[in-house]
Amino acid sequence: MKALLTSLAALSLAAASAQTVTLKHDEGTAQVTRDPKRLVVLDEGALDMIYALGLGDRVVGLGSAVTGPDGLTAGGFLKPEVLRTGFLARGKLNNPRFVGGWTSPNLETILSLKPDLIVRSTWEGNQNYDRLSRIAPTAGFREDAPGFWQGSLRNLARVFGRQVQAERVIKQAADTNRANARRLAAAGVFRKYPKVVVVSPFTGGSTWLYNEVRLIDDLRALGFKDGLRAPSTTLGVGAQISDEALLNLDKQTLVVIMPPAGQYNGGDAFLKSAVGQRLRGQSVVYNLEANSPWSGPLVSIRNSNDVTRLILEAVK
């Protein structure tokens, strides 16, 4: 009898193991039911990876740093017209409930949705991981981690059994960059602008220079060298840059101006400033689509195509 009970216990453990998978992420590990059906996604960066895996229709709750009360129904859902706008329209969403902002998710709402998995982009010092993990297995992926979206996408894909799809998207991004690099080289772009910087003007007059991840990685993949690097970074992606440093850029450095979204967008003011006027002749303006994250697999592909087009038009 004892041997039988031991065998049954072992079989039970094996069955439970077969039904779960260990998800490694940048905030630890989570035991997740294989192929979870109910997802809460706390930001557009995490949503990009869910979209890339073809899982948008499983999102029951969605957070955002840019969606405000005007984008919500009286019942707290995202309005249909918002779901049809910009980045959110790149995947299939089935009327997700809004669950708050990146830094202040509505834990009560998330609990009511009974998710199987919570996914978020994150950074050093971000809060609420323990609280979220008590609701459901939670995976956080840091934007400043090496190979940010590629590694994160591969880890997520294992949970859903979609490794082939993840590799297909990763290859598509690499192939897109190679094709666009050839177009830029054929047009003589690198003879005129061998170097590049990405700057992001915020409302209030501060301008950020991105060293990592946010568009700059895509431009490096296209063949550009760094025109300027900040000596230190905040959140591992960039730092505020002075007007003096921007004014000292040489004429062989292409300036890609990428304003942030929504109420944070200081692009127009920057272009009218003395610095913006001085750099106008060697600048292109790249506006993120509405509700877009800074980075991710679909964003990377879009960045490569759209920025290549803008650069080719600028150097005609």
Side-chain angles (χ1 to χ4, degrees):
M1 176 63 73
K2 184 177 180 180
L4 177 60
L5 291 175
T6 301
S7 297
L8 289 174
L11 288 172
S12 178
L13 288 171
S17 176
Q19 294 170 5
T20 62
V21 60
T22 300
L23 172 57
K24 295 181 179 180
H25 57 93
D26 295 319
E27 295 182 286
T29 60
Q31 295 298 318
V32 185
T33 301
R34 290 183 183 275
D35 201 24
K37 307 300 183 185
R38 296 180 62 81
L39 309 178
V40 165
V41 180
L42 293 185
D43 56 90
E44 291 86 355
L47 182 63
D48 195 343
M49 291 183 282
I50 295 299
Y51 272 178
L53 296 174
L55 299 167
D57 58 347
R58 300 190 188 186
V59 177
V60 296
L62 181 63
S64 173
V66 296
T67 300
D70 291 345
L72 306 179
T73 68
F77 294 86
L78 280 87
K79 291 180 177 178
E81 57 267 33
V82 173
L83 299 178
R84 294 192 298 266
T85 301
F87 175 78
L88 294 183
R90 290 184 174 267
K92 181 181 179 182
L93 289 171
N94 291 332
N95 197 30
R97 185 77 180 269
F98 184 68
V99 297
W102 292 12
T103 58
S104 55
N106 189 317
L107 301 175
E108 184 176 348
T109 298
I110 294 172
L111 178 63
S112 72
L113 293 172
K114 300 179 180 179
D116 302 318
L117 176 64
I118 301 169
V119 187
R120 70 176 187 171
S121 299
T122 192
W123 54 89
E124 184 176 357
N126 194 12
Q127 304 296 312
N128 292 307
Y129 175 74
D130 290 341
R131 292 180 178 180
L132 291 166
S133 296
R134 286 196 287 270
I135 296 173
T138 299
F141 298 103
R142 287 182 57 151
E143 192 179 30
D144 63 341
F148 160 59
W149 69 257
Q150 292 91 341
S152 303
L153 187 67
R154 286 183 169 117
N155 286 335
L156 271 177
R158 288 183 57 251
V159 174
F160 298 96
R162 300 206 175 193
Q163 295 94 321
V164 172
Q165 185 157 348
E167 296 303 325
R168 187 183 301 125
V169 172
I170 291 169
K171 183 178 184 298
Q172 182 184 357
D175 289 346
T176 300
N177 281 329
R178 281 192 287 269
N180 285 327
R182 290 193 292 269
R183 294 172 63 198
L184 293 169
V189 169
F190 300 121
R191 291 193 295 273
K192 185 173 184 179
Y193 297 120
K195 298 176 290 184
V196 71
V197 295
V198 177
V199 297
S200 189
F202 283 72
T203 52
S206 65
T207 303
W208 277 59
L209 171 75
Y210 291 127
N211 279 0
E212 307 294 342
V213 182
R214 297 183 177 180
L215 185 60
I216 188 63
D217 284 352
D218 300 308
L219 291 167
R220 289 171 183 149
L222 290 174
F224 290 98
K225 306 299 182 184
D226 289 341
L228 179 66
R229 288 185 67 87
S232 61
T233 62
T234 299
L235 303 181
V237 295
Q240 190 169 335
I241 193 72
S242 68
D243 289 351
E244 181 181 8
L246 293 174
L247 289 169
N248 284 329
L249 291 172
D250 61 45
K251 294 294 185 180
Q252 288 190 305
T253 298
L254 177 68
V255 180
V256 180
I257 302 167
M258 184 177 67
Q263 68 268 33
Y264 307 107
N265 188 332
D268 288 343
F270 178 83
L271 290 170
K272 294 174 183 177
S273 70
V275 178
Q277 291 295 309
R278 157 69 174 75
L279 296 174
R280 183 179 291 273
Q282 64 194 88
S283 298
V284 296
V285 179
Y286 177 47
N287 287 300
L288 296 167
E289 62 186 340
N291 301 303
S292 175
W294 289 106
S295 57
L298 302 187
V299 169
S300 185
I301 294 167
R302 184 200 66 210
N303 285 349
S304 183
N305 287 326
D306 288 359
V307 174
T308 294
R309 174 181 53 79
L310 289 171
I311 294 170
L312 291 174
E313 291 174 354
V315 298
K316 284 181 181 178

